[in-house]
Amino acid sequence: QVQLVESGGGSVQSGGSLRLSCAASGYTRRFHCMGWFRQVPGKEREGVAIFDSDGTTSYADSVKGRFTISQDNAKNTLYLQMNSLKPDDTAMYYCAADHYPQRRGECPRLDEYRNWGQGTQVTVSS
């Protein structure tokens, strides 16, 4: 049973920083892709950052230059360092993980991820 447990959320003022962690367990094969997603009530979940096992990373335009995704394989943990936080970053942040979809050597679309954490709330005040 795959488990993804997020931590590190909280309340900060605009311009502040937070580091989110996602501890993964219960898997038999290391995931090809792990990522951070966020959702605000009443809006669709959106991708924030993806870490591909081939070493590449990708970011939403809204967080480029401010957020950094990283992975510690020894600790089975995914991180999201968030700097220069803005009120628009306020959301529930979720960690997700999965393998490449069959016959596609690229990370899944948001709706294709099968393993999700419970989320951690990030609130940025102005």
Side-chain angles (χ1 to χ4, degrees):
Q1 182 84 12
V2 174
Q3 277 198 317
L4 302 174
V5 180
E6 302 97 334
S7 61
S11 297
V12 296
Q13 290 193 325
S14 182
S17 297
L18 285 172
R19 188 176 82 154
L20 305 184
S21 299
C22 171
S25 62
Y27 54 89
T28 55
R29 281 192 304 140
R30 191 172 302 282
F31 293 110
H32 289 120
C33 306
M34 294 189 73
W36 290 99
F37 302 81
R38 65 187 182 187
Q39 189 169 22
V40 174
K43 293 189 176 181
E44 292 188 356
R45 192 169 296 188
E46 63 176 5
V48 176
I50 301 296
F51 190 100
D52 192 317
S53 59
D54 68 2
T56 59
T57 57
S58 60
Y59 297 91
D61 288 343
S62 60
V63 306
K64 281 180 182 176
R66 299 188 298 121
F67 291 10
T68 302
I69 190 171
S70 61
Q71 190 175 57
D72 185 333
N73 288 330
K75 296 182 179 179
N76 300 326
T77 301
L78 182 74
Y79 300 101
L80 185 68
Q81 178 66 44
M82 306 187 296
N83 298 328
S84 302
L85 282 161
K86 304 175 182 180
D88 283 350
D89 296 318
T90 295
M92 184 70 79
Y93 283 71
Y94 298 91
C95 170
D98 216 318
H99 298 287
Y100 293 145
Q102 196 171 13
R103 292 187 291 277
R104 280 167 46 196
E106 60 184 14
C107 287
R109 298 187 309 266
L110 184 155
D111 61 312
E112 293 177 317
Y113 278 88
R114 294 169 293 178
N115 305 290
W116 291 88
Q118 292 300 306
T120 185
Q121 178 68 37
V122 172
T123 302
V124 184
S125 58
S126 57

